Amino acid sequence: MSTQFNLDALPYVDKQIDEPGTRSIVDKLVAAEMKKMPKPRDPASIFPDIELFKDNELMQQELDRVRRGKPMEQLDLTRYQLNPPTSTDSASSPSTSSSSSIDASGSQLPTQPSASEELPEGRAQWLEALDNANSQLEHQSQRVLNLELVQKFGNNAWNIHNYQLEYDLSRLRKQVDEKRAEVMELNKLRKRDQLDVADSLHRLETKWGELISSTIQVEMASATMEQELEQLKQYEIKLCKELGVPLPDAK
């Protein structure tokens, strides 16, 4: 069973990057290599047209509103207002045709004509106003009940929620500390392993340089000998021509 080691860097051994000018050369090589890489494709050409929320008409309308840049419709707050019914009988008496209202500051607002209870339209408006008042009263009662429940049980509920959040936070911090410890231990092992083989790598690098130098010297000596041999052959041919001796057969 063969074991394959894929070492992409030896940062604790290789120190060439710290030499002056080396980093700029490396950056230029990386930039030139990145220019050869294909440009990323446009995501629109990769993914086909997707129709969002095709089964939800309400979401489609909202998405269309956002695409057209239209503002969101304001909430209808009329249901939270407690207004008296308006007048439907212009001939009603002054005592029953107008009513005054008071704003939040206590000042009296301009009077509005009230509907006459004697007419069917006025009675319907008064019943509608009464239903609205009952709804507002029930809403305020529910708010009071909710406030009472929060006042009674809210402290304990929030304490339990905060305890759960603190527990989750401590658990996540523990996991982060464990991962950091694993990373630190891994870096220590990498540094130790690389420093253990640093001397061997330096010796092998020096030996590789010596072998390369010896190979170059042998190649230079071979080239010189070939040149000398060629010169001797030319001199032999010249002497044979001058002496009229046939050239010996080359073996």
mmCIF file of all heavy atoms in Angstrom, residues 123-140:
data_model
loop_
_atom_site.group_PDB
_atom_site.id
_atom_site.type_symbol
_atom_site.label_atom_id
_atom_site.label_comp_id
_atom_site.label_asym_id
_atom_site.label_seq_id
_atom_site.Cartn_x
_atom_site.Cartn_y
_atom_site.Cartn_z
ATOM 1 N N ARG A 123 -79.658 54.620 12.824
ATOM 2 C CA ARG A 123 -79.604 53.505 13.790
ATOM 3 C C ARG A 123 -78.527 52.494 13.395
ATOM 4 O O ARG A 123 -77.785 51.981 14.247
ATOM 5 C CB ARG A 123 -80.980 52.834 13.847
ATOM 6 C CG ARG A 123 -81.052 51.694 14.857
ATOM 7 C CD ARG A 123 -82.447 51.143 14.947
ATOM 8 N NE ARG A 123 -82.523 50.048 15.883
ATOM 9 C CZ ARG A 123 -82.644 50.192 17.203
ATOM 10 N NH1 ARG A 123 -82.712 51.415 17.726
ATOM 11 N NH2 ARG A 123 -82.706 49.132 17.999
ATOM 12 N N ALA A 124 -78.393 52.211 12.087
ATOM 13 C CA ALA A 124 -77.360 51.274 11.630
ATOM 14 C C ALA A 124 -75.959 51.809 11.922
ATOM 15 O O ALA A 124 -75.058 51.066 12.341
ATOM 16 C CB ALA A 124 -77.537 51.010 10.135
ATOM 17 N N GLN A 125 -75.800 53.140 11.719
ATOM 18 C CA GLN A 125 -74.485 53.723 11.996
ATOM 19 C C GLN A 125 -74.170 53.682 13.488
ATOM 20 O O GLN A 125 -73.030 53.434 13.886
ATOM 21 C CB GLN A 125 -74.435 55.156 11.476
ATOM 22 C CG GLN A 125 -74.448 55.250 9.953
ATOM 23 C CD GLN A 125 -74.290 56.674 9.480
ATOM 24 O OE1 GLN A 125 -73.963 57.570 10.265
ATOM 25 N NE2 GLN A 125 -74.545 56.898 8.203
ATOM 26 N N TRP A 126 -75.178 53.909 14.330
ATOM 27 C CA TRP A 126 -74.943 53.844 15.768
ATOM 28 C C TRP A 126 -74.622 52.413 16.198
ATOM 29 O O TRP A 126 -73.758 52.197 17.073
ATOM 30 C CB TRP A 126 -76.172 54.357 16.521
ATOM 31 C CG TRP A 126 -76.188 55.854 16.661
ATOM 32 C CD1 TRP A 126 -76.978 56.723 15.994
ATOM 33 C CD2 TRP A 126 -75.357 56.622 17.509
ATOM 34 N NE1 TRP A 126 -76.701 58.015 16.348
ATOM 35 C CE2 TRP A 126 -75.685 57.977 17.307
ATOM 36 C CE3 TRP A 126 -74.351 56.317 18.412
ATOM 37 C CZ2 TRP A 126 -75.063 59.016 17.976
ATOM 38 C CZ3 TRP A 126 -73.729 57.359 19.094
ATOM 39 C CH2 TRP A 126 -74.069 58.697 18.868
ATOM 40 N N LEU A 127 -75.316 51.451 15.620
ATOM 41 C CA LEU A 127 -74.998 50.059 15.951
ATOM 42 C C LEU A 127 -73.578 49.703 15.509
ATOM 43 O O LEU A 127 -72.842 48.977 16.209
ATOM 44 C CB LEU A 127 -76.018 49.124 15.291
ATOM 45 C CG LEU A 127 -77.439 49.180 15.849
ATOM 46 C CD1 LEU A 127 -78.366 48.284 15.023
ATOM 47 C CD2 LEU A 127 -77.455 48.764 17.320
ATOM 48 N N GLU A 128 -73.178 50.184 14.325
ATOM 49 C CA GLU A 128 -71.810 49.940 13.860
ATOM 50 C C GLU A 128 -70.801 50.596 14.784
ATOM 51 O O GLU A 128 -69.747 49.998 15.108
ATOM 52 C CB GLU A 128 -71.665 50.458 12.434
ATOM 53 C CG GLU A 128 -70.282 50.171 11.830
ATOM 54 C CD GLU A 128 -70.170 50.693 10.415
ATOM 55 O OE1 GLU A 128 -71.189 51.203 9.877
ATOM 56 O OE2 GLU A 128 -69.074 50.582 9.832
ATOM 57 N N ALA A 129 -71.082 51.829 15.223
ATOM 58 C CA ALA A 129 -70.183 52.505 16.154
ATOM 59 C C ALA A 129 -70.129 51.776 17.488
ATOM 60 O O ALA A 129 -69.073 51.680 18.127
ATOM 61 C CB ALA A 129 -70.627 53.957 16.347
ATOM 62 N N LEU A 130 -71.269 51.231 17.920
ATOM 63 C CA LEU A 130 -71.305 50.477 19.179
ATOM 64 C C LEU A 130 -70.471 49.204 19.068
ATOM 65 O O LEU A 130 -69.729 48.843 19.996
ATOM 66 C CB LEU A 130 -72.759 50.156 19.542
ATOM 67 C CG LEU A 130 -72.967 49.394 20.856
ATOM 68 C CD1 LEU A 130 -72.436 50.197 22.038
ATOM 69 C CD2 LEU A 130 -74.448 49.060 21.045
ATOM 70 N N ASP A 131 -70.593 48.503 17.938
ATOM 71 C CA ASP A 131 -69.775 47.303 17.733
ATOM 72 C C ASP A 131 -68.283 47.650 17.747
ATOM 73 O O ASP A 131 -67.454 46.918 18.316
ATOM 74 C CB ASP A 131 -70.144 46.633 16.410
ATOM 75 C CG ASP A 131 -71.536 46.024 16.449
ATOM 76 O OD1 ASP A 131 -72.031 45.782 17.572
ATOM 77 O OD2 ASP A 131 -72.122 45.805 15.364
ATOM 78 N N ASN A 132 -67.952 48.764 17.115
ATOM 79 C CA ASN A 132 -66.550 49.187 17.103
ATOM 80 C C ASN A 132 -66.074 49.512 18.514
ATOM 81 O O ASN A 132 -64.950 49.153 18.910
ATOM 82 C CB ASN A 132 -66.386 50.400 16.182
ATOM 83 C CG ASN A 132 -64.931 50.816 16.059
ATOM 84 O OD1 ASN A 132 -64.029 50.000 16.168
ATOM 85 N ND2 ASN A 132 -64.713 52.102 15.822
ATOM 86 N N ALA A 133 -66.926 50.172 19.296
ATOM 87 C CA ALA A 133 -66.549 50.497 20.671
ATOM 88 C C ALA A 133 -66.352 49.229 21.499
ATOM 89 O O ALA A 133 -65.423 49.131 22.304
ATOM 90 C CB ALA A 133 -67.623 51.399 21.300
ATOM 91 N N ASN A 134 -67.250 48.252 21.312
ATOM 92 C CA ASN A 134 -67.087 46.985 22.025
ATOM 93 C C ASN A 134 -65.793 46.279 21.615
ATOM 94 O O ASN A 134 -65.104 45.679 22.453
ATOM 95 C CB ASN A 134 -68.297 46.084 21.757
ATOM 96 C CG ASN A 134 -69.556 46.601 22.428
ATOM 97 O OD1 ASN A 134 -69.488 47.236 23.485
ATOM 98 N ND2 ASN A 134 -70.714 46.339 21.822
ATOM 99 N N SER A 135 -65.466 46.344 20.328
ATOM 100 C CA SER A 135 -64.221 45.735 19.855
ATOM 101 C C SER A 135 -63.004 46.417 20.483
ATOM 102 O O SER A 135 -62.058 45.760 20.933
ATOM 103 C CB SER A 135 -64.134 45.817 18.328
ATOM 104 O OG SER A 135 -65.202 45.125 17.719
ATOM 105 N N GLN A 136 -63.027 47.757 20.519
ATOM 106 C CA GLN A 136 -61.921 48.488 21.139
ATOM 107 C C GLN A 136 -61.813 48.157 22.624
ATOM 108 O O GLN A 136 -60.710 48.014 23.165
ATOM 109 C CB GLN A 136 -62.119 49.993 20.935
ATOM 110 C CG GLN A 136 -62.150 50.450 19.502
ATOM 111 C CD GLN A 136 -60.826 50.187 18.807
ATOM 112 O OE1 GLN A 136 -59.777 50.164 19.427
ATOM 113 N NE2 GLN A 136 -60.885 49.971 17.505
ATOM 114 N N LEU A 137 -62.982 48.051 23.296
ATOM 115 C CA LEU A 137 -62.977 47.719 24.721
ATOM 116 C C LEU A 137 -62.397 46.327 24.954
ATOM 117 O O LEU A 137 -61.599 46.114 25.875
ATOM 118 C CB LEU A 137 -64.400 47.815 25.271
ATOM 119 C CG LEU A 137 -64.561 47.487 26.769
ATOM 120 C CD1 LEU A 137 -63.752 48.458 27.619
ATOM 121 C CD2 LEU A 137 -66.038 47.522 27.166
ATOM 122 N N GLU A 138 -62.790 45.358 24.094
ATOM 123 C CA GLU A 138 -62.256 44.007 24.234
ATOM 124 C C GLU A 138 -60.754 43.983 23.957
ATOM 125 O O GLU A 138 -59.990 43.278 24.639
ATOM 126 C CB GLU A 138 -62.994 43.072 23.278
ATOM 127 C CG GLU A 138 -62.583 41.615 23.406
ATOM 128 C CD GLU A 138 -62.953 41.020 24.745
ATOM 129 O OE1 GLU A 138 -63.876 41.566 25.395
ATOM 130 O OE2 GLU A 138 -62.320 40.018 25.149
ATOM 131 N N HIS A 139 -60.344 44.782 22.969
ATOM 132 C CA HIS A 139 -58.915 44.852 22.652
ATOM 133 C C HIS A 139 -58.119 45.399 23.832
ATOM 134 O O HIS A 139 -57.059 44.857 24.191
ATOM 135 C CB HIS A 139 -58.710 45.722 21.407
ATOM 136 C CG HIS A 139 -57.271 45.972 21.076
ATOM 137 N ND1 HIS A 139 -56.401 44.975 20.690
ATOM 138 C CD2 HIS A 139 -56.545 47.117 21.076
ATOM 139 C CE1 HIS A 139 -55.209 45.485 20.466
ATOM 140 N NE2 HIS A 139 -55.259 46.783 20.694
ATOM 141 N N GLN A 140 -58.626 46.464 24.446
ATOM 142 C CA GLN A 140 -57.928 47.029 25.597
ATOM 143 C C GLN A 140 -57.942 46.061 26.779
ATOM 144 O O GLN A 140 -56.968 45.977 27.545
ATOM 145 C CB GLN A 140 -58.583 48.357 25.998
ATOM 146 C CG GLN A 140 -58.483 49.450 24.945
ATOM 147 C CD GLN A 140 -57.040 49.802 24.618
ATOM 148 O OE1 GLN A 140 -56.167 49.737 25.477
ATOM 149 N NE2 GLN A 140 -56.806 50.163 23.353
#
